[in-house]
Amino acid sequence: MGDIRLPRHMFLWCLSAIYMFAFASLYVQIPGLYGNEGVLPARWQLRVSGKSVVEQLKDSPTLLWFGPRLGLDTQQCMELLSLTGALLSLMTLALPALRDCRVFLVLWILYLSLYQLECVKHLDLRDNLLLETGFLAILIAPMKMPWSSKVRLHDSVTFWLARWLLFRLMFASGVVKLTSRCPTWWGLTALTYHYETQCIPTPLAWFAHQLPVWFQKLSVVGTFVIEIAVPFMFFSPIRRHRLAAFYMQVLLQVLIILSGNYNFFNILTITLCLSLLDDQHVNFWLRRPTPKTESTSLQTLISGLAVMLEMGTYALLGYWTVKYFDLQVDWENKSVSTKTAFTYFEFNGFLKTVTVPSIWIGVLSLTWEIISSMFKCACERGVLWRLWSTIQWAVMTAATVSMFAISLVSKLHVCAVLLTDRYQLVNSYGLFRRMTGVGGRPEVVIEGSMDRNTWTEIEFMYKPGNMSAAPPVVAPHQPRLDWQMWFAALGPHTQSPWFSSLLHRLLQGKRDVIRLIQTDESQYPFSKQPPAYLRAHRYKYWFSEPKKDGSYPQRWWRRVYVEEFYPMVHLGDSYLEQMLVQHGLKVRNKSAVKSESVIRDTC
């Protein structure tokens, strides 16, 4: 690759912005979610024992252990860490001098400390990807203070790790869709369900859902090509291959952003895509002139061969797509018919065939970057500068090779498993493994009443409820309660123990929890007085259809009642109390308060 100074600056700037969104999004939700009177008080997760701080950090590496010793309870400590992270990332975003490896180390430690709580870490892969990318940023970012070197000859080596992470993320996301044997992915009909069944759709998702079925199936084929085949172009020695791969990946992520609210995840994926660029292409964006050099006859020959190889790759990619998805153009109906023309066992055979070569492709690509950087160090002027550059190159190369090796053996070696699980250095990825809501989007609707006769639905800000309310645009904010309501609807309430705690807090009228549902409390039907009774029903939702005359319907959704999700309860209700005690949501509350106060008094 050419120089990557500008893409690296863009990568660090974007990651600073993502950290800011992540910390700020969590900060505003801490009181209602993890506060002392929240749905899942975080203090329950930090069991006080006679262990020393070092032993506690070994068990769970989080700065929250220091909270009681500073006179802070767990909620206050979480808010302090989140606010510190948001302000520091904002400063890093605004001041280039702060985009330093040590600053990114602090940001990573802050986010890891919050992630270590069980009530936070079970949510999704988005936090995992941010932590893994954040750790790589520590290696990628320069050490700017108290001095800075404009040229770091090992940058291409460490920046390669972002490309390898992008490959693992995209390739795994494409593969699991087929290895899961989900009939919608194999039948290429997944997108006919996806737009209305995803966690929090956007208004554009309604319009995307109305597209013809043949176009939806063709889009699934495009998704497979971009996620399974194109990632191998990340490591191509041909520059235009990497640029083409960049634009295809960004196109996919932008389309996902337009149709669904996945917080900062897709922005983070685009940030990883910056590792495919070089200074020359960024200068092209900025309309900056680049110096032209006279090419020799040998360079002209190599350039011609590269163009032929490039065109051959695209032709082969197109041929395989047509062959294995049986693409046929129906000119009469102006459509394209598609179907999977391979079996599950054939696909498994393909995976066995490409697994080892893909690792060797990574090895060769990394080796090339290492050797190129080594020669650059050897060509440095001055003995001291050459020695200093070589030392930096050796240290960063060792770190890069170690991270690459860990990503390969993280699921095989016990020590690697403990290391990766505890510090989230390497994770397994695989998005949209199976398509849920094929028979309709399951949705839980909570109802409240004062007299058990008149029931009023409690509407959430973001998740579907009111059939006339338009889907929101909320990314990069992550409304964690609305997300968990989507997961809760997929099974019985016993699989979501926190739901009993949510109803309990609403019956108590806890304002912090109510603000998770409606920040404008006037929109909450029981803002003046908590409901005396609560219950929850499960419905199935579908996007509404356009009218026959082509006009838009008055409602965005239609729904059908399915069953009772949670029986009617009230404060002191025996069933509610049983659920709270069974899941440790009441007894542990008292013990945690007592233990935390004892530590504060001791310190």
Side-chain angles (χ1 to χ4, degrees):
M1 286 187 69
D3 293 334
I4 46 87
R5 184 179 61 87
L6 295 177
R8 190 199 67 179
H9 288 336
M10 294 169 63
F11 174 85
L12 297 176
W13 187 88
C14 290
L15 188 59
S16 301
I18 292 168
Y19 262 131
M20 181 186 67
F21 293 138
F23 279 116
S25 175
L26 182 59
Y27 173 74
V28 298
Q29 299 177 81
I30 285 174
L33 286 177
Y34 314 122
N36 298 332
E37 295 184 340
V39 177
L40 288 174
R43 62 189 179 195
W44 299 347
Q45 306 298 326
L46 299 178
R47 295 186 176 183
V48 178
S49 62
K51 296 181 179 179
S52 64
V53 177
V54 175
E55 292 174 324
Q56 289 174 331
L57 289 174
K58 287 182 179 179
D59 292 339
S60 180
T62 172
L63 297 178
L64 295 175
W65 291 118
F66 295 97
R69 290 169 173 78
L70 298 175
L72 302 173
D73 61 26
T74 307
Q75 176 186 344
Q76 293 171 331
C77 195
M78 285 188 73
E79 290 176 328
L80 177 62
L81 295 182
S82 299
L83 187 58
T84 302
L87 293 176
L88 181 58
S89 53
L90 176 60
M91 294 171 61
T92 306
L93 186 68
L95 302 174
L98 289 180
R99 289 172 213 151
D100 182 274
C101 60
R102 289 161 294 186
V103 174
F104 281 101
L105 174 62
V106 172
L107 291 172
W108 180 77
I109 291 174
L110 292 174
Y111 206 77
L112 179 67
S113 296
L114 297 168
Y115 173 86
Q116 287 301 317
L117 294 175
E118 291 294 334
C119 52
V120 179
K121 69 164 63 175
H122 78 281
L123 288 177
D124 51 58
L125 290 174
R126 288 144 187 86
D127 292 321
N128 302 42
L129 182 62
L130 178 55
L131 283 170
E132 184 171 350
T133 308
F135 185 82
L136 298 185
I138 300 171
L139 302 176
I140 296 170
M143 185 177 290
K144 291 191 173 184
M145 300 173 288
W147 67 84
S148 174
S149 174
K150 292 184 178 180
V151 179
R152 298 188 343 141
L153 302 177
H154 60 267
D155 281 346
S156 60
V157 177
T158 53
F159 203 30
W160 181 91
L161 287 172
R163 212 187 323 166
W164 177 246
L165 172 56
L166 178 66
F167 173 82
R168 289 170 37 229
L169 171 66
M170 300 311 301
F171 186 70
S173 296
V175 165
V176 297
K177 292 176 175 62
L178 294 174
T179 55
S180 67
R181 294 191 176 187
C182 176
T184 63
W185 286 115
W186 278 92
L188 307 181
T189 59
L191 290 183
T192 61
Y193 306 103
H194 165 73
Y195 296 113
E196 68 181 1
T197 61
Q198 59 185 321
C199 290
I200 305 177
T202 66
L204 286 179
W206 186 90
F207 295 94
H209 182 72
Q210 313 305 327
L211 294 171
V213 174
W214 70 264
F215 187 84
Q216 306 279 27
K217 297 177 73 173
L218 188 61
S219 299
V220 174
V221 172
T223 300
F224 283 139
V225 172
I226 292 175
E227 291 186 343
I228 297 178
V230 172
F232 288 96
M233 295 167 60
F234 297 170
F235 307 109
S236 172
I238 300 176
R239 176 174 172 270
R240 283 188 294 267
H241 273 164
R242 299 192 298 271
L243 295 180
F246 168 81
Y247 283 109
M248 283 188 273
Q249 299 298 329
V250 170
L251 174 63
L252 176 62
Q253 299 307 317
V254 169
L255 291 176
I256 295 174
I257 290 172
L258 293 176
S259 61
N261 291 286
Y262 293 97
N263 50 76
F264 54 78
F265 182 78
N266 303 107
I267 303 175
L268 181 54
T269 305
I270 293 175
T271 301
L272 289 171
C273 290
L274 295 174
S275 61
L276 301 174
L277 301 179
D278 54 25
D279 285 359
Q280 182 181 345
H281 197 69
V282 175
N283 283 324
F284 169 76
W285 286 350
L286 301 175
R287 295 295 186 268
R288 293 177 179 173
T290 54
K292 295 182 178 180
T293 57
E294 294 184 3
S295 57
T296 63
S297 57
L298 179 60
Q299 290 175 330
T300 303
L301 177 62
I302 294 176
S303 178
L305 292 174
V307 171
M308 293 176 60
L309 182 59
E310 181 184 1
M311 293 299 104
T313 301
Y314 298 143
L316 193 60
L317 192 60
Y319 169 76
W320 282 341
T321 303
V322 172
K323 178 182 178 180
Y324 290 109
F325 292 100
D326 196 18
L327 266 66
Q328 296 182 6
V329 179
D330 187 346
W331 297 106
E332 183 177 344
N333 296 321
K334 297 181 180 179
S335 64
V336 179
S337 65
T338 54
K339 66 178 181 180
T340 50
F342 54 91
T343 65
Y344 174 79
F345 299 102
E346 289 174 336
F347 183 71
N348 268 349
F350 161 77
L351 288 182
K352 292 178 181 178
T353 302
V354 302
T355 298
V356 174
S358 65
I359 295 175
W360 279 109
I361 289 173
V363 170
L364 292 174
S365 177
L366 177 57
T367 302
W368 173 260
E369 298 294 348
I370 291 173
I371 293 175
S372 300
S373 297
M374 182 183 68
F375 274 107
K376 291 178 182 178
C377 293
C379 294
E380 274 286 276
R381 293 183 178 179
V383 177
L384 293 179
W385 279 114
R386 188 181 306 138
L387 177 62
W388 176 239
S389 298
T390 304
I391 293 174
Q392 286 184 309
W393 168 84
V395 171
M396 290 303 178
T397 296
T400 301
V401 171
S402 299
M403 289 299 300
F404 177 63
I406 289 174
S407 71
L408 297 178
V409 303
S410 60
K411 301 304 177 187
L412 302 177
H413 196 279
V414 176
C415 295
V417 170
L418 294 175
L419 186 66
T420 55
D421 288 348
R422 181 169 299 176
Y423 298 103
Q424 296 303 306
L425 301 185
V426 176
N427 294 282
S428 298
Y429 300 100
L431 304 173
F432 305 111
R433 183 185 300 269
R434 300 188 66 87
M435 195 55 58
T436 58
V438 173
R441 173 198 182 97
E443 201 66 60
V444 173
V445 176
I446 302 175
E447 298 177 345
S449 174
M450 303 301 296
D451 55 9
R452 291 194 295 183
N453 294 319
T454 304
W455 293 88
T456 304
E457 293 186 6
I458 297 177
E459 296 179 13
F460 285 65
M461 286 184 291
Y462 308 115
K463 82 176 195 69
N466 183 352
M467 293 182 288
S468 300
V473 176
V474 64
H477 173 57
Q478 181 180 0
R480 294 175 180 253
L481 180 58
D482 293 69
W483 271 69
Q484 288 305 299
M485 289 291 291
W486 182 85
F487 286 108
L490 299 178
H493 73 81
T494 52
Q495 293 182 1
S496 304
W498 57 267
F499 192 82
S500 297
S501 180
L502 172 63
L503 296 185
H504 187 234
R505 295 306 191 193
L506 293 178
L507 288 169
Q508 293 176 325
K510 299 301 181 183
R511 315 308 294 182
D512 290 333
V513 177
I514 292 172
R515 291 189 191 99
L516 294 175
I517 298 174
Q518 289 288 345
T519 52
D520 182 3
E521 294 188 25
S522 63
Q523 300 296 319
Y524 183 71
F526 302 99
S527 57
K528 295 182 180 179
Q529 183 180 358
Y533 303 92
L534 284 176
R535 67 184 184 187
H537 290 147
R538 195 196 320 264
Y539 288 82
K540 284 196 173 180
Y541 277 66
W542 295 268
F543 271 140
S544 57
E545 302 292 335
K547 296 181 180 179
K548 293 182 179 180
D549 59 1
S551 60
Y552 298 139
Q554 294 182 344
R555 293 183 173 182
W556 291 81
W557 299 92
R558 59 186 178 90
R559 73 180 186 184
V560 171
Y561 176 81
V562 178
E563 61 185 351
E564 179 184 75
F565 181 78
Y566 204 100
M568 181 184 67
V569 292
H570 56 83
L571 282 178
D573 184 272
S574 59
Y575 183 79
L576 179 60
E577 294 293 320
Q578 177 188 348
M579 289 294 101
L580 294 174
V581 173
Q582 177 180 335
H583 298 297
L585 298 173
K586 198 166 185 180
V587 175
R588 288 172 63 186
N589 189 352
K590 297 179 181 179
S591 63
V593 173
K594 182 177 179 181
S595 300
E596 200 167 65
S597 62
V598 168
I599 278 205
R600 272 202 306 272
D601 294 341
T602 305
C603 297

